[in-house]
Protein backbone atom coordinates (compact mmCIF):
# COMPACT_ATOMS: atom_id res chain seq x y z
CA UNK A 1 0.00 0.00 0.00
CA UNK A 2 1.58 3.20 -1.08
CA UNK A 3 1.04 5.96 1.38
CA UNK A 4 0.74 9.08 -0.70
CA UNK A 5 -1.07 11.35 -0.91
CA UNK A 6 -1.57 11.52 2.84
CA UNK A 7 1.05 10.48 5.36
CA UNK A 8 -0.36 9.07 8.56
CA UNK A 9 -0.43 11.60 11.32
CA UNK A 10 0.35 10.92 14.89
CA UNK A 11 1.65 7.37 14.77
CA UNK A 12 4.11 7.33 17.64
CA UNK A 13 7.13 5.12 17.61
CA UNK A 14 7.09 2.03 19.79
CA UNK A 15 5.29 -0.91 18.32
CA UNK A 16 7.41 -1.04 15.15
CA UNK A 17 7.78 -4.03 12.86
CA UNK A 18 5.27 -5.70 10.64
CA UNK A 19 1.61 -6.23 11.47
CA UNK A 20 -0.60 -8.84 9.83
CA UNK A 21 -4.27 -8.03 9.33
CA UNK A 22 -6.89 -10.77 8.78
CA UNK A 23 -10.55 -10.54 7.85
CA UNK A 24 -13.29 -12.60 6.29
CA UNK A 25 -15.95 -10.08 5.32
CA UNK A 26 -19.70 -10.23 4.94
CA UNK A 27 -19.36 -11.69 1.43
CA UNK A 28 -17.73 -14.75 3.10
CA UNK A 29 -15.61 -15.09 -0.05
CA UNK A 30 -12.22 -15.78 1.57
CA UNK A 31 -9.73 -14.74 4.22
CA UNK A 32 -8.01 -11.49 3.27
CA UNK A 33 -4.49 -11.15 4.66
CA UNK A 34 -2.39 -7.97 4.60
CA UNK A 35 1.15 -7.64 5.86
CA UNK A 36 1.73 -3.99 6.70
CA UNK A 37 4.96 -2.15 7.50
CA UNK A 38 4.88 1.14 9.37
CA UNK A 39 7.50 3.61 8.16
CA UNK A 40 5.72 5.03 10.29
CA UNK A 41 3.04 5.47 7.60
CA UNK A 42 1.42 2.14 6.71
CA UNK A 43 2.70 0.40 3.60
CA UNK A 44 1.22 -2.83 2.22
CA UNK A 45 4.07 -5.31 1.93
CA UNK A 46 1.96 -8.29 0.89
CA UNK A 47 -1.74 -8.92 0.38
CA UNK A 48 -3.44 -12.16 -0.57
CA UNK A 49 -6.84 -13.78 -0.17
CA UNK A 50 -6.94 -17.43 0.87
CA UNK A 51 -10.03 -19.58 0.50
CA UNK A 52 -12.24 -20.17 3.50
CA UNK A 53 -12.99 -23.92 3.41
CA UNK A 54 -16.38 -24.17 1.63
CA UNK A 55 -18.00 -26.13 4.45
CA UNK A 56 -17.13 -23.30 6.88
CA UNK A 57 -18.41 -20.62 4.50
CA UNK A 58 -21.62 -22.62 4.04
CA UNK A 59 -22.08 -22.95 7.80
CA UNK A 60 -21.52 -19.18 8.27
CA UNK A 61 -24.11 -18.40 5.59
CA UNK A 62 -26.58 -20.84 7.13
CA UNK A 63 -26.14 -19.65 10.72
CA UNK A 64 -26.22 -15.98 9.77
CA UNK A 65 -29.81 -16.30 8.52
CA UNK A 66 -31.98 -14.41 10.98
CA UNK A 67 -34.31 -17.37 11.46
CA UNK A 68 -31.66 -20.13 11.49
CA UNK A 69 -32.08 -22.84 14.07
CA UNK A 70 -28.95 -22.36 16.13
CA UNK A 71 -27.16 -25.23 17.76
CA UNK A 72 -24.73 -23.97 20.40
CA UNK A 73 -22.27 -26.81 19.75
CA UNK A 74 -22.24 -25.90 16.05
CA UNK A 75 -21.43 -22.26 16.84
CA UNK A 76 -18.70 -23.24 19.30
CA UNK A 77 -17.06 -25.59 16.81
CA UNK A 78 -17.37 -23.06 14.01
CA UNK A 79 -15.60 -20.47 16.20
CA UNK A 80 -12.68 -22.88 16.66
CA UNK A 81 -12.59 -23.99 13.04
CA UNK A 82 -12.61 -20.43 11.71
CA UNK A 83 -9.79 -19.66 14.16
CA UNK A 84 -7.89 -22.63 12.73
CA UNK A 85 -8.55 -21.46 9.15
CA UNK A 86 -7.39 -17.93 10.01
CA UNK A 87 -4.21 -19.32 11.62
CA UNK A 88 -3.54 -21.43 8.52
CA UNK A 89 -4.07 -18.39 6.27
CA UNK A 90 -1.73 -16.31 8.45
CA UNK A 91 1.02 -18.93 8.28
CA UNK A 92 0.53 -19.34 4.53
CA UNK A 93 0.79 -15.57 4.07
CA UNK A 94 4.06 -15.58 6.00
CA UNK A 95 5.41 -18.45 3.88
CA UNK A 96 4.24 -16.89 0.61
CA UNK A 97 5.78 -13.54 1.48
CA UNK A 98 8.99 -15.07 2.89
CA UNK A 99 8.41 -13.40 6.27
CA UNK A 100 9.61 -15.07 9.49
CA UNK A 101 6.96 -15.10 12.23
CA UNK A 102 9.45 -13.33 14.51
CA UNK A 103 9.29 -10.25 12.23
CA UNK A 104 5.58 -9.82 12.96
CA UNK A 105 4.80 -7.67 16.00
CA UNK A 106 1.17 -8.73 16.08
CA UNK A 107 -1.78 -10.05 14.15
CA UNK A 108 -4.98 -8.00 14.02
CA UNK A 109 -7.85 -10.40 13.36
CA UNK A 110 -11.36 -9.21 12.65
CA UNK A 111 -12.68 -12.75 12.36
CA UNK A 112 -15.99 -13.48 10.64
CA UNK A 113 -19.16 -11.63 11.60
CA UNK A 114 -21.96 -14.07 12.30
CA UNK A 115 -24.55 -11.67 13.71
CA UNK A 116 -24.69 -7.93 14.21
CA UNK A 117 -27.51 -6.21 16.06
CA UNK A 118 -26.28 -3.15 17.93
CA UNK A 119 -29.80 -1.90 18.69
CA UNK A 120 -32.09 -2.28 21.67
CA UNK A 121 -31.53 -3.00 25.33
CA UNK A 122 -29.06 -5.85 24.77
CA UNK A 123 -27.07 -4.79 21.72
CA UNK A 124 -24.50 -7.25 20.43
CA UNK A 125 -22.17 -8.05 17.60
CA UNK A 126 -20.58 -11.45 17.17
CA UNK A 127 -17.40 -12.31 15.28
CA UNK A 128 -16.15 -15.88 15.07
CA UNK A 129 -12.56 -17.12 14.74
CA UNK A 130 -11.14 -17.83 18.18
CA UNK A 131 -8.04 -15.62 18.55
CA UNK A 132 -6.65 -17.97 21.23
CA UNK A 133 -6.34 -20.56 18.48
CA UNK A 134 -4.60 -18.06 16.17
CA UNK A 135 -2.09 -16.96 18.84
CA UNK A 136 -1.41 -20.56 19.83
CA UNK A 137 -0.90 -21.82 16.28
CA UNK A 138 1.18 -18.89 15.01
CA UNK A 139 3.09 -17.97 18.18
CA UNK A 140 2.28 -14.34 17.32
CA UNK A 141 0.40 -11.97 19.66
CA UNK A 142 -3.13 -11.61 18.27
CA UNK A 143 -5.44 -8.68 18.81
CA UNK A 144 -9.09 -9.47 18.09
CA UNK A 145 -12.69 -8.76 19.14
CA UNK A 146 -12.42 -5.17 17.91
CA UNK A 147 -16.11 -4.30 17.82
CA UNK A 148 -17.61 -5.21 21.17
CA UNK A 149 -16.00 -2.50 23.33
CA UNK A 150 -17.50 0.15 21.09
CA UNK A 151 -20.92 -1.53 21.36
CA UNK A 152 -20.53 -1.69 25.15
CA UNK A 153 -19.85 2.07 25.06
CA UNK A 154 -23.17 2.65 23.31
CA UNK A 155 -21.77 2.58 19.74
CA UNK A 156 -22.66 0.61 16.65
CA UNK A 157 -19.34 -1.29 16.72
CA UNK A 158 -19.21 -0.57 12.98
CA UNK A 159 -18.00 0.66 10.66
CA UNK A 160 -14.49 0.78 12.13
CA UNK A 161 -12.56 1.51 8.94
CA UNK A 162 -13.35 5.25 8.85
CA UNK A 163 -10.55 5.83 11.40
CA UNK A 164 -8.08 4.07 9.11
CA UNK A 165 -9.44 5.83 6.02
CA UNK A 166 -8.98 9.15 7.81
CA UNK A 167 -5.42 8.22 8.68
CA UNK A 168 -4.38 7.24 5.15
CA UNK A 169 -6.78 8.87 2.69
CA UNK A 170 -7.74 12.30 4.01
CA UNK A 171 -6.76 15.22 1.80
CA UNK A 172 -6.41 18.88 2.78
CA UNK A 173 -7.21 19.78 -0.83
CA UNK A 174 -10.69 18.29 -1.34
CA UNK A 175 -13.74 16.83 0.39
CA UNK A 176 -13.56 13.09 -0.13
CA UNK A 177 -15.70 10.06 0.51
CA UNK A 178 -14.38 6.52 0.78
CA UNK A 179 -16.86 3.90 -0.37
CA UNK A 180 -16.34 0.29 0.65
CA UNK A 181 -18.32 -2.04 -1.59
CA UNK A 182 -18.19 -5.33 0.29
CA UNK A 183 -21.08 -7.62 1.18
CA UNK A 184 -22.46 -4.45 2.76
CA UNK A 185 -21.61 -0.94 1.53
CA UNK A 186 -20.27 1.72 3.86
CA UNK A 187 -19.23 5.32 3.41
CA UNK A 188 -16.56 7.35 5.16
CA UNK A 189 -16.93 11.12 4.85
CA UNK A 190 -13.60 12.92 4.88
CA UNK A 191 -14.14 16.66 4.61
CA UNK A 192 -11.03 18.80 4.13
CA UNK A 193 -11.51 19.83 7.74
CA UNK A 194 -13.95 19.00 10.48
CA UNK A 195 -15.43 15.82 11.83
CA UNK A 196 -15.01 12.46 10.12
CA UNK A 197 -18.29 10.60 9.73
CA UNK A 198 -19.11 7.15 8.42
CA UNK A 199 -21.95 4.66 8.28
CA UNK A 200 -23.27 1.64 6.43
CA UNK A 201 -25.56 2.45 3.50
CA UNK A 202 -27.09 -1.02 2.95
CA UNK A 203 -26.51 -4.06 0.79
CA UNK A 204 -23.77 -4.21 -1.85
CA UNK A 205 -22.41 -7.53 -3.09
CA UNK A 206 -24.07 -9.73 -0.46
CA UNK A 207 -27.55 -9.69 -1.99
CA UNK A 208 -26.26 -9.68 -5.57
CA UNK A 209 -24.08 -12.72 -4.80
CA UNK A 210 -26.99 -14.60 -3.22
CA UNK A 211 -29.34 -13.91 -6.15
CA UNK A 212 -26.66 -14.74 -8.71
CA UNK A 213 -25.81 -18.03 -6.98
CA UNK A 214 -29.49 -18.99 -6.84
CA UNK A 215 -30.07 -18.41 -10.56
CA UNK A 216 -26.73 -19.08 -12.25
CA UNK A 217 -24.90 -21.34 -9.79
CA UNK A 218 -21.99 -18.89 -9.91
CA UNK A 219 -20.85 -17.41 -6.57
CA UNK A 220 -20.93 -13.85 -7.95
CA UNK A 221 -21.82 -11.92 -11.08
CA UNK A 222 -18.34 -11.73 -12.54
CA UNK A 223 -17.93 -8.51 -14.55
CA UNK A 224 -21.72 -8.05 -14.25
CA UNK A 225 -22.49 -10.27 -17.25
CA UNK A 226 -25.73 -11.46 -15.60
CA UNK A 227 -26.86 -8.02 -14.44
CA UNK A 228 -26.05 -6.39 -17.75
CA UNK A 229 -28.33 -8.89 -19.50
CA UNK A 230 -31.31 -7.44 -17.60
CA UNK A 231 -32.86 -4.05 -17.01
CA UNK A 232 -33.81 -2.22 -13.86
CA UNK A 233 -37.41 -2.73 -12.78
CA UNK A 234 -38.56 0.59 -11.37
CA UNK A 235 -41.45 -0.87 -9.37
CA UNK A 236 -39.21 -3.39 -7.61
CA UNK A 237 -36.55 -0.74 -7.03
CA UNK A 238 -39.16 1.50 -5.39
CA UNK A 239 -40.31 -1.37 -3.13
CA UNK A 240 -36.72 -2.09 -2.09
CA UNK A 241 -35.97 1.60 -1.48
CA UNK A 242 -39.04 1.85 0.75
CA UNK A 243 -37.15 -0.11 3.44
CA UNK A 244 -37.28 2.30 6.44
CA UNK A 245 -33.67 1.51 7.43
CA UNK A 246 -32.40 3.44 4.39
CA UNK A 247 -33.96 6.66 5.72
CA UNK A 248 -32.61 6.31 9.25
CA UNK A 249 -30.00 8.91 10.10
CA UNK A 250 -26.44 7.87 11.07
CA UNK A 251 -24.93 6.43 13.15
CA UNK A 252 -26.08 3.18 11.63
CA UNK A 253 -24.72 -0.20 10.65
CA UNK A 254 -26.20 -3.39 9.34
CA UNK A 255 -25.29 -6.91 8.32
CA UNK A 256 -26.18 -9.79 6.06
CA UNK A 257 -28.64 -11.01 8.69
CA UNK A 258 -30.81 -7.97 7.82
CA UNK A 259 -30.30 -7.80 4.04
CA UNK A 260 -30.62 -11.43 3.04
CA UNK A 261 -32.40 -13.33 0.27
CA UNK A 262 -35.59 -13.53 2.32
CA UNK A 263 -35.70 -9.71 2.53
CA UNK A 264 -35.59 -9.60 -1.27
CA UNK A 265 -38.08 -12.43 -1.72
CA UNK A 266 -40.57 -10.72 0.61
CA UNK A 267 -40.51 -7.69 -1.72
CA UNK A 268 -40.52 -9.69 -4.93
CA UNK A 269 -43.71 -11.45 -3.95
CA UNK A 270 -45.08 -13.44 -6.90
CA UNK A 271 -43.59 -11.07 -9.47
CA UNK A 272 -42.65 -12.74 -12.73
CA UNK A 273 -39.54 -10.68 -13.35
CA UNK A 274 -36.68 -12.30 -15.25
CA UNK A 275 -33.81 -13.17 -12.90
CA UNK A 276 -31.42 -10.90 -14.82
CA UNK A 277 -33.81 -7.95 -14.30
CA UNK A 278 -33.73 -8.59 -10.55
CA UNK A 279 -29.92 -8.69 -10.66
CA UNK A 280 -29.82 -5.37 -12.53
CA UNK A 281 -32.26 -3.91 -9.98
CA UNK A 282 -30.15 -5.09 -7.02
CA UNK A 283 -27.11 -3.42 -8.57
CA UNK A 284 -29.12 -0.24 -9.01
CA UNK A 285 -30.29 -0.48 -5.39
CA UNK A 286 -26.69 -0.28 -4.20
CA UNK A 287 -25.92 2.67 -6.49
CA UNK A 288 -29.11 4.46 -5.45
CA UNK A 289 -28.72 3.99 -1.69
CA UNK A 290 -25.05 4.99 -1.75
CA UNK A 291 -25.68 8.07 -3.91
CA UNK A 292 -28.65 9.19 -1.85
CA UNK A 293 -26.78 8.79 1.44
CA UNK A 294 -23.72 10.62 0.13
CA UNK A 295 -25.64 13.55 -1.36
CA UNK A 296 -27.64 13.92 1.87
CA UNK A 297 -24.67 13.82 4.23
CA UNK A 298 -21.78 15.44 2.34
CA UNK A 299 -23.15 17.21 -0.73
CA UNK A 300 -19.86 19.06 -1.26
CA UNK A 301 -17.96 15.81 -1.93
CA UNK A 302 -15.57 16.15 -4.84
CA UNK A 303 -14.04 12.70 -5.04
CA UNK A 304 -15.34 9.23 -4.21
CA UNK A 305 -12.68 6.57 -3.77
CA UNK A 306 -14.04 3.03 -3.92
CA UNK A 307 -12.62 -0.10 -2.35
CA UNK A 308 -13.76 -3.67 -1.72
CA UNK A 309 -14.71 -6.24 -4.35
CA UNK A 310 -17.54 -4.12 -5.77
CA UNK A 311 -15.03 -1.84 -7.50
CA UNK A 312 -14.47 -4.74 -9.94
CA UNK A 313 -18.15 -4.71 -10.93
CA UNK A 314 -18.25 -2.42 -13.98
CA UNK A 315 -22.04 -2.06 -13.96
CA UNK A 316 -22.06 -0.97 -10.32
CA UNK A 317 -19.25 1.54 -10.86
CA UNK A 318 -20.90 3.03 -13.94
CA UNK A 319 -24.29 3.31 -12.20
CA UNK A 320 -22.63 5.05 -9.25
CA UNK A 321 -20.92 7.52 -11.54
CA UNK A 322 -24.24 8.14 -13.31
CA UNK A 323 -25.99 8.86 -10.00
CA UNK A 324 -23.17 11.14 -8.81
CA UNK A 325 -22.75 13.54 -11.74
CA UNK A 326 -19.91 16.01 -11.38
CA UNK A 327 -18.05 13.90 -8.82
CA UNK A 328 -14.87 11.99 -9.57
CA UNK A 329 -15.62 8.30 -8.88
CA UNK A 330 -12.65 5.92 -8.97
CA UNK A 331 -11.06 3.04 -7.11
CA UNK A 332 -8.49 3.72 -4.37
CA UNK A 333 -6.01 2.23 -6.86
CA UNK A 334 -6.06 5.72 -8.39
CA UNK A 335 -4.28 7.02 -5.29
CA UNK A 336 -1.98 4.01 -4.96
CA UNK A 337 -3.96 1.92 -2.44
CA UNK A 338 -4.95 -1.62 -3.45
CA UNK A 339 -8.76 -1.65 -3.04
CA UNK A 340 -8.84 -5.37 -2.21
CA UNK A 341 -6.69 -5.17 0.93
CA UNK A 342 -7.73 -1.95 2.63
CA UNK A 343 -9.85 -3.72 5.26
CA UNK A 344 -7.19 -6.31 6.13
CA UNK A 345 -4.59 -3.52 6.27
CA UNK A 346 -6.99 -1.56 8.48
CA UNK A 347 -7.10 -4.38 11.04
CA UNK A 348 -3.28 -4.52 11.04
CA UNK A 349 -3.38 -0.77 11.76
CA UNK A 350 -6.01 -1.21 14.49
CA UNK A 351 -3.91 -3.91 16.19
CA UNK A 352 -1.01 -1.47 16.30
CA UNK A 353 -3.22 1.25 17.75
CA UNK A 354 -4.42 -1.14 20.46
CA UNK A 355 -0.91 -2.27 21.38
CA UNK A 356 0.13 1.37 21.60
CA UNK A 357 -2.83 2.02 23.93
CA UNK A 358 -4.56 4.36 21.49
CA UNK A 359 -8.31 4.37 20.81
CA UNK A 360 -9.39 2.80 17.54
CA UNK A 361 -13.00 3.94 17.29
CA UNK A 362 -14.35 7.29 16.16
CA UNK A 363 -17.33 8.24 18.34
CA UNK A 364 -18.46 10.62 15.56
CA UNK A 365 -18.93 7.51 13.41
CA UNK A 366 -20.14 4.79 15.74
CA UNK A 367 -22.01 6.94 18.25
CA UNK A 368 -20.03 5.51 21.18
CA UNK A 369 -19.87 7.58 24.35
CA UNK A 370 -16.17 8.21 23.78
CA UNK A 371 -12.93 6.99 22.27
CA UNK A 372 -12.00 3.47 23.38
CA UNK A 373 -8.99 1.20 22.98
CA UNK A 374 -10.46 -1.66 20.99
CA UNK A 375 -10.01 -5.40 21.18
CA UNK A 376 -8.43 -8.03 23.37
CA UNK A 377 -4.76 -8.93 23.24
CA UNK A 378 -3.90 -12.63 23.15
CA UNK A 379 -0.21 -12.77 24.03
CA UNK A 380 2.25 -14.69 21.84
N1 LIG B 1 -14.90 -9.04 -11.33
C1 LIG B 1 -15.93 -8.85 -10.50
N2 LIG B 1 -17.16 -8.59 -11.00
C2 LIG B 1 -18.22 -8.40 -10.19
N3 LIG B 1 -18.16 -8.49 -8.85
C3 LIG B 1 -16.96 -8.74 -8.29
C4 LIG B 1 -15.79 -8.94 -9.08
N4 LIG B 1 -14.75 -9.19 -8.23
C5 LIG B 1 -15.26 -9.16 -6.96
N5 LIG B 1 -16.59 -8.90 -6.99
C6 LIG B 1 -17.52 -8.83 -5.86
O1 LIG B 1 -16.82 -8.55 -4.68
C7 LIG B 1 -17.22 -9.45 -3.63
C8 LIG B 1 -16.13 -9.54 -2.61
O2 LIG B 1 -15.96 -8.27 -2.04
P1 LIG B 1 -15.14 -8.05 -0.72
O3 LIG B 1 -13.99 -8.99 -0.69
O4 LIG B 1 -14.88 -6.60 -0.57
O5 LIG B 1 -16.19 -8.50 0.35
P2 LIG B 1 -16.07 -8.57 1.92
O6 LIG B 1 -14.67 -8.38 2.34
O7 LIG B 1 -16.76 -9.80 2.32
O8 LIG B 1 -16.96 -7.35 2.33
P3 LIG B 1 -17.27 -6.51 3.66
O9 LIG B 1 -16.62 -5.16 3.42
O10 LIG B 1 -18.75 -6.41 3.66
O11 LIG B 1 -16.73 -7.18 4.84
C9 LIG B 1 -17.55 -10.72 -4.37
O12 LIG B 1 -18.40 -11.52 -3.59
C10 LIG B 1 -18.22 -10.16 -5.64
O13 LIG B 1 -19.57 -9.90 -5.40
C1 LIG C 1 -20.55 -5.97 11.72
C2 LIG C 1 -19.68 -6.05 10.51
O1 LIG C 1 -18.95 -7.00 10.33
N1 LIG C 1 -19.73 -4.99 9.69
C3 LIG C 1 -18.92 -4.90 8.48
C4 LIG C 1 -19.78 -5.09 7.25
O2 LIG C 1 -18.98 -5.07 6.06
C5 LIG C 1 -18.95 -3.73 5.57
C6 LIG C 1 -19.73 -2.96 6.59
O3 LIG C 1 -20.62 -3.97 7.08
C7 LIG C 1 -18.87 -2.47 7.77
O4 LIG C 1 -19.73 -1.84 8.69
C8 LIG C 1 -18.16 -3.60 8.53
O5 LIG C 1 -16.86 -3.88 8.13
C9 LIG C 1 -15.79 -2.97 8.01
C10 LIG C 1 -14.52 -3.73 8.03
C11 LIG C 1 -15.75 -1.85 9.04
O6 LIG C 1 -15.98 -2.10 10.23
O7 LIG C 1 -15.45 -0.73 8.66
Amino acid sequence: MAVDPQPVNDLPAGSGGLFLGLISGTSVDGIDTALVAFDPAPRLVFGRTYPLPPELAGEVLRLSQADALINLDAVGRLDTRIGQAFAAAAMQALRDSGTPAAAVAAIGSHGQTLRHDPRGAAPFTQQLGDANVIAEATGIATVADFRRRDVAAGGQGAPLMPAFHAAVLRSPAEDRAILNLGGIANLTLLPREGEVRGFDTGPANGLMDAWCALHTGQPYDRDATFGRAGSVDDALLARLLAEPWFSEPPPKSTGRDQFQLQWLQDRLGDSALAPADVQATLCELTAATVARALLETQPATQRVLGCGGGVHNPLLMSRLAARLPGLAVASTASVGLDPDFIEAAGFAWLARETLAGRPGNLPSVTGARGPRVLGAIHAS
Side-chain angles (χ1 to χ4, degrees):
M1 180 174 291
V3 185
D4 273 334
Q6 280 304 292
V8 170
N9 299 320
D10 196 29
L11 275 180
S15 46
L18 295 166
F19 285 72
L20 179 62
L22 308 174
I23 178 171
S24 171
T26 47
S27 299
V28 203
D29 62 330
I31 304 168
D32 296 337
T33 68
L35 199 55
V36 181
F38 290 86
D39 300 333
R43 178 170 53 83
L44 183 69
V45 172
F46 175 87
R48 194 164 289 178
T49 302
Y50 296 96
L52 189 64
E55 66 278 12
L56 296 192
E59 190 70 345
V60 169
L61 293 176
R62 189 181 72 77
L63 291 175
S64 63
Q65 298 293 307
D67 56 357
L69 276 180
I70 301 287
N71 172 314
L72 200 49
D73 291 354
V75 177
R77 296 215 169 83
L78 191 58
D79 188 30
T80 301
R81 292 174 74 202
I82 292 178
Q84 290 165 342
F86 270 52
M91 290 189 291
Q92 194 60 45
L94 296 184
R95 276 194 293 277
D96 292 345
S97 61
T99 308
V104 180
I107 289 172
S109 177
H110 169 267
Q112 171 71 62
T113 295
L114 188 63
R115 290 290 178 97
H116 181 71
D117 189 356
R119 292 168 287 200
F124 79 103
T125 183
Q126 185 178 30
Q127 284 73 44
L128 298 185
D130 187 355
N132 295 286
V133 171
I134 302 173
E136 188 64 27
T138 61
I140 300 171
T142 302
V143 189
D145 193 10
F146 287 99
R147 300 192 190 277
R148 292 199 300 167
R149 181 62 187 269
D150 185 85
V151 171
Q156 295 281 311
L160 295 178
M161 286 302 103
F164 180 59
H165 296 159
V168 297
L169 284 164
R170 198 166 196 179
S171 164
E174 59 185 8
D175 291 344
R176 287 183 170 176
I178 313 306
L179 172 61
N180 172 53
L181 293 166
I184 297 292
N186 56 289
L187 273 169
T188 299
L189 308 179
L190 299 177
R192 266 167 287 202
E193 48 194 34
E195 202 167 63
V196 173
R197 289 173 293 160
F199 51 89
D200 290 353
T201 60
N205 304 307
L207 265 184
M208 286 193 277
D209 288 356
W211 185 257
C212 181
L214 189 67
H215 289 277
T216 71
Q218 298 301 311
Y220 68 95
D221 185 12
R222 192 178 182 90
D223 302 334
T225 46
F226 183 36
R228 274 192 213 268
S231 12
V232 174
D233 182 80
D234 289 332
L236 174 61
L237 182 62
R239 283 200 298 281
L240 299 176
L241 285 170
E243 161 64 48
W245 188 88
F246 294 133
S247 307
E248 283 177 23
K252 63 178 183 175
S253 61
T254 187
R256 64 175 310 124
D257 37 332
Q258 181 174 0
F259 291 107
Q260 53 179 291
L261 217 40
Q262 191 59 51
W263 178 84
L264 170 64
Q265 270 153 351
D266 290 347
R267 283 148 188 84
L268 266 174
D270 53 9
S271 120
L273 281 175
D277 291 345
V278 176
Q279 188 75 14
T281 307
L282 288 175
C283 189
E284 194 68 23
L285 174 70
T286 300
T289 45
V290 166
R292 186 163 87 180
L294 180 58
L295 295 173
E296 278 173 10
T297 52
Q298 189 173 264
T301 303
Q302 289 152 285
R303 186 178 304 277
V304 179
L305 292 170
C307 55
V311 300
H312 304 300
N313 181 327
L315 181 62
L316 179 54
M317 292 306 279
S318 72
R319 292 309 304 148
L320 272 167
R323 284 185 173 266
L324 295 168
L327 273 71
V329 179
S331 144
T332 55
S334 63
V335 293
L337 304 187
D338 187 330
D340 292 322
F341 295 101
I342 290 201
E343 285 188 340
F347 283 98
W349 179 83
L350 271 178
R352 186 166 181 267
E353 296 302 285
T354 297
L355 287 185
R358 289 189 293 267
N361 65 337
L362 288 179
S364 61
V365 170
T366 64
R369 282 185 286 277
R372 296 288 187 271
V373 178
L374 301 180
I377 301 169
H378 304 260
S380 58

